[in-house]
Amino acid sequence: MSDIIVSDVSKSFGREILHSLSFTVSSGDFLSITGESGSGKSTLLAIMGGVLRPDAGSVRIGGVDIASLSEKELAKMRRTSLGYVYQFFNLIPTMTVRENILLPLVLDGKKPSLYKDKFDELVAFTHLRAVLDAYPDTLSGGEQQRAAILRALIHDPEVILLDEPTGNLDSENAEAVMRLLSDLNKTYGVTVVQVTHSEQGAAYGRTRIHLKDGRIS
Ligand SMILES: Nc1ncnc2c1ncn2[C@@H]1O[C@H](COP(=O)(O)OP(=O)(O)OP(=O)(O)O)[C@@H](O)[C@H]1O
Ligand SMILES: [Mg+2]
């Protein structure tokens, strides 16, 4: 099982955005990262997911320093052991929901048919059966977010990182997505790390980190 160990991570964009942050996310935890707009939440999440490299410090997942991985290995990690959900879903508009969900497998050269049981289970879990053959722009915001989450889960990752999973949703859809994350954490033991503006959303987490000007406060 993979703890995520963040050690002395700093990042500058002209000025320093993250100031030597250190913390550990234990395997199976549900962490909420909160803080004002501009406090560095998305930057931190991107570093934890290997989307951005820190200027100093390290992120180790399951003992592997992700800075030691090549771009290709990082991309593979994001498609396999990590699930990363961007703020604006990132579903591909010209593919159906089913094709979007299966895309990480196809990119990885895996046969989707081998994942049929997992696929069916997750489709039931996320209540997306009725929209599988539809295109993303015909779905509600909540359905699109659930499809993006399902796509990040098809590989059975140990960790899922989400940037504002409820940022674009009304309160009813937001609650459904938060319940889904909570169930994922409890039922499958997936480690969940979410960035959120929402107090209600943050309360679903078990642990919380609050960022203020790039420091844990
Ligand atoms: N690629 C970049 N180039 C330059 N500056 C950046 C870049 N990414 C982030 N920043 C700056 O870093 C700071 C933190 O940005 P970040 O996106 O991490 O904040 P945030 O806490 O996620 O904010 P929000 O809640 O609005 O999403 C901001 O001042 C932002 O302008
Ligand atoms: Mg952000």
Side-chain angles (χ1 to χ4, degrees):
M1 281 306 213
S2 305
D3 291 351
I4 306 172
I5 303 174
V6 176
S7 309
D8 298 319
V9 161
S10 297
K11 182 75 185 174
S12 297
F13 290 115
R15 64 199 167 83
E16 196 162 66
I17 303 297
L18 300 177
H19 308 276
S20 197
L21 297 181
S22 298
F23 59 92
T24 297
V25 189
S26 302
S27 178
D29 198 359
F30 186 154
L31 170 70
S32 299
I33 300 173
T34 56
E36 280 175 19
S37 181
S39 58
K41 305 182 297 295
S42 294
T43 305
L44 175 59
L45 195 77
I47 289 173
M48 291 172 75
V51 177
L52 257 186
R53 288 183 189 267
D55 296 335
S58 66
V59 176
R60 273 175 293 148
I61 302 181
V64 176
D65 181 348
I66 62 177
S68 69
L69 303 175
S70 67
E71 288 302 329
K72 212 170 157 186
E73 289 168 328
L74 274 175
K76 186 170 170 64
M77 183 189 77
R78 280 199 299 275
R79 289 201 306 270
T80 56
S81 40
L82 263 191
Y84 199 93
V85 181
Y86 292 88
Q87 186 165 3
F88 297 105
F89 318 143
N90 271 22
L91 296 170
I92 293 172
T94 53
M95 295 179 132
T96 65
V97 170
R98 183 194 308 274
E99 289 164 345
N100 265 283
I101 292 166
L102 296 175
L103 184 62
L105 299 177
V106 173
L107 287 175
D108 224 28
K110 303 233 168 77
K111 267 215 178 92
S113 55
L114 296 179
Y115 286 76
K116 190 179 178 312
D117 290 350
K118 186 81 201 166
F119 178 83
D120 286 343
E121 182 186 345
L122 288 171
V123 166
F125 197 69
T126 49
H127 304 289
L128 285 169
R129 173 76 55 206
V131 298
L132 281 177
D133 294 311
Y135 287 88
D137 65 358
T138 66
L139 270 55
S140 74
E143 287 165 341
Q144 289 184 49
Q145 186 60 288
R146 297 204 304 275
I149 292 171
L150 200 167
R151 183 178 59 182
L153 291 170
I154 191 74
H155 263 298
D156 225 356
E158 287 180 33
V159 179
I160 182 166
L161 305 174
L162 310 101
D163 197 348
E164 302 279 5
T166 61
N168 304 298
L169 305 181
D170 60 50
S171 59
E172 204 172 307
N173 273 308
E175 219 180 289
V177 165
M178 290 317 304
R179 274 201 306 271
L180 171 67
L181 292 179
S182 189
D183 287 349
L184 267 176
N185 176 251
K186 286 187 189 130
T187 311
Y188 296 101
V190 176
T191 307
V192 179
V193 179
Q194 66 160 346
V195 160
T196 183
H197 268 108
S198 146
E199 261 311 303
Q200 274 156 316
Y204 280 84
R206 217 172 291 137
T207 318
R208 191 189 294 209
I209 283 178
H210 185 77
L211 284 187
K212 191 166 170 23
D213 300 329
R215 291 191 167 81
I216 294 171
S217 71

